[in-house]
Amino acid sequence: MALTLQNKLSIALLLVVGLCASQAWSRSLSAASMNERHEMWMAKYGRVYKDTAEKERRFNTFKENVEYIESFNRAGIKPYKLDVNEFADLTNEEFQESRNGYRFKPLVTSSSFKYENVTAVPSNMDWRTKGAVTPIKDQGQCGCCWAFSAVAAMEGITKLSTGKLISLSEQELVDCDTSGEDQGCNGGLMDDAFEFIIKNKGLTTESNYPYDATDGSCKKAKSGSHAAQISGYEDVPANNEAALMKAVANQPVSVAIDAGGSDFHGVFTGECGTDLDHGVTAVGYGTSDDGTQYWLVKNSWGSSWGENGYIRMQRDIDAKEGLCGIAMQPSYPTA
Ligand SMILES: *[C@@H]1O[C@H](CO)[C@@H](O)[C@H](O)[C@H]1NC(C)=O
């Protein structure tokens, strides 16, 4: 089957992992037959299939992905290499379904943008250095990026308003924010998460209501013990990177991107589209050594992804939507 360019780039996203961690393993792998490789890969990641038909289907996807990686690396066109990771038996479509989960909806213009008249915007910002960002989390095989994005933004504003950095519960959103548009592992929206949090009068801590990457029933007692609150949320004016910069200069901001085509190495400059399918959090911005302006983005795919779990995405591009649509639907909670 011939892969389109878009497919190839998407598979690049699917298969890129931290090279250092798995190089030894992939060396031993390359000598083995494809069947053996699949068996070794299954053992490494504890993969179990329900029957032989499922196994055969998965093997074929695994084989296609591995062959693509090898030809990509042989070609040596890009400055980075791909490697086999835990998603190697998923097609690109399956990966996006299971990992992303941002439900695009047309933007309803919000009434106000509190940073509208901000003029003092520093040229660099990194909320990690101000203690407003919790360690990288991993959403696993559950499409609740929207919960991770909203929680990271809320953790940021909580630190800024109370001085305390508290890791908050995504699972509470997955289990309890179910009466509106948000649907746990099947996707949701950050703005709807903020609405739930306001009505719920807060969120509890990660440790009180830990993440388990599946849809469960709402544990009301835990959900009742709030560790942090927000009073509202606002949308950043759409398609306006200057407005987004004003917001990110003041707090971490939830953003939606088209993650379908992303890979990483240094500052990511594309290619990608604007079909928003993934929620992440802009936690800063700056300019790289080679002069490329970027957004610093916290992802929720574990710390072996990207640059220790983060990606720097090119900023101030010609398209008003921003790279991968990053300026299309940003929003932030208010204290
Ligand atoms: C920004 O300034 C304009 C003009 O003075 C004012 O009407 C508007 O309310 C201000 N916006 C905010 C969010 O303060």
Side-chain angles (χ1 to χ4, degrees):
M1 182 192 73
L3 290 161
T4 63
L5 179 64
Q6 181 59 36
N7 270 340
K8 285 183 182 175
L9 289 162
S10 301
I11 288 172
L13 167 82
L14 186 69
L15 300 163
V16 167
V17 294
L19 292 173
C20 303
S22 55
Q23 238 155 19
W25 180 73
S26 69
R27 254 199 308 277
S28 69
L29 203 65
S30 51
S33 78
M34 195 61 83
N35 265 313
E36 283 168 331
R37 287 178 172 209
H38 187 223
E39 295 288 347
M40 285 168 68
W41 176 90
M42 286 174 64
K44 180 178 162 81
Y45 292 108
R47 200 66 149 172
V48 182
Y49 301 119
K50 67 177 193 296
D51 53 30
T52 50
E54 165 85 359
K55 185 172 177 183
E56 198 178 314
R57 203 160 62 80
R58 291 290 159 205
F59 169 76
N60 287 329
T61 306
F62 177 85
K63 181 165 175 285
E64 249 177 51
N65 285 336
V66 169
E67 285 170 354
Y68 169 70
I69 292 171
E70 291 190 335
S71 69
F72 177 95
N73 289 345
R74 261 197 313 273
I77 297 162
K78 295 276 187 176
Y80 54 86
K81 290 210 183 298
L82 303 179
D83 207 345
V84 178
N85 71 8
E86 64 183 296
F87 312 113
D89 70 343
L90 299 180
T91 64
N92 178 50
E93 291 71 27
E94 289 167 332
F95 177 77
Q96 290 197 15
E97 262 169 40
S98 72
R99 294 284 289 198
N100 292 356
Y102 182 77
R103 293 180 165 257
F104 176 83
K105 82 173 176 194
L107 196 68
V108 185
T109 317
S110 89
S111 49
S112 65
F113 173 49
K114 65 188 279 198
Y115 302 122
E116 181 182 3
N117 298 328
V118 164
T119 49
V121 178
S123 57
N124 292 289
M125 179 50 71
D126 184 343
W127 286 110
R128 296 175 301 186
T129 65
K130 317 242 181 225
V133 183
T134 59
I136 289 288
K137 304 183 185 184
D138 189 348
Q139 69 187 78
Q141 306 284 322
C142 165
C144 63
C145 63
W146 56 276
F148 283 85
S149 170
V151 163
M154 180 171 169
E155 289 166 347
I157 194 65
T158 301
K159 163 71 185 176
L160 293 174
S161 61
T162 70
K164 282 184 255 171
L165 181 66
I166 308 165
S167 185
L168 298 169
S169 174
E170 292 81 14
Q171 194 64 42
E172 181 176 1
L173 287 170
V174 171
D175 290 353
C176 305
D177 176 15
T178 51
S179 59
E181 298 235 1
D182 293 335
Q183 295 178 23
C185 292
N186 293 317
L189 287 167
M190 286 77 89
D191 280 2
D192 291 300
F194 295 142
E195 263 167 39
F196 168 84
I197 296 165
I198 295 163
K199 271 191 235 128
N200 193 50
K201 299 190 166 49
L203 273 189
T204 191
T205 60
E206 186 82 64
S207 57
N208 187 44
Y209 203 146
Y211 186 63
D212 66 12
T214 52
D215 291 309
S217 56
C218 180
K219 292 162 192 75
K220 290 249 162 44
K222 291 187 171 188
S223 179
S225 90
H226 308 130
Q229 288 85 35
I230 58 173
S231 64
Y233 70 97
E234 294 180 346
D235 293 327
V236 177
N239 302 324
N240 184 339
E241 285 193 275
L244 182 55
M245 192 160 158
K246 288 181 184 179
V248 179
N250 283 282
Q251 66 179 96
V253 172
S254 292
V255 291
I257 57 171
D258 180 346
S262 312
D263 49 38
F264 70 90
H265 178 83
V267 177
F268 179 63
T269 56
E271 304 170 9
C272 52
T274 56
D275 295 327
L276 305 180
D277 63 4
H278 190 41
V280 290
T281 313
V283 296
Y285 56 81
T287 306
S288 71
D289 293 342
D290 71 1
T292 310
Q293 296 193 303
Y294 63 83
W295 294 110
L296 174 63
V297 171
K298 185 187 191 192
N299 199 358
S300 51
W301 292 350
S303 53
S304 63
W305 183 87
E307 298 178 321
N308 300 317
Y310 293 84
I311 182 170
R312 287 177 296 162
M313 295 174 60
Q314 191 177 12
R315 176 166 60 89
D316 281 341
I317 64 167
D318 288 340
K320 65 185 190 326
E321 294 85 1
L323 189 69
C324 312
I326 192 169
M328 289 170 73
Q329 299 200 345
S331 62
Y332 52 88
T334 52

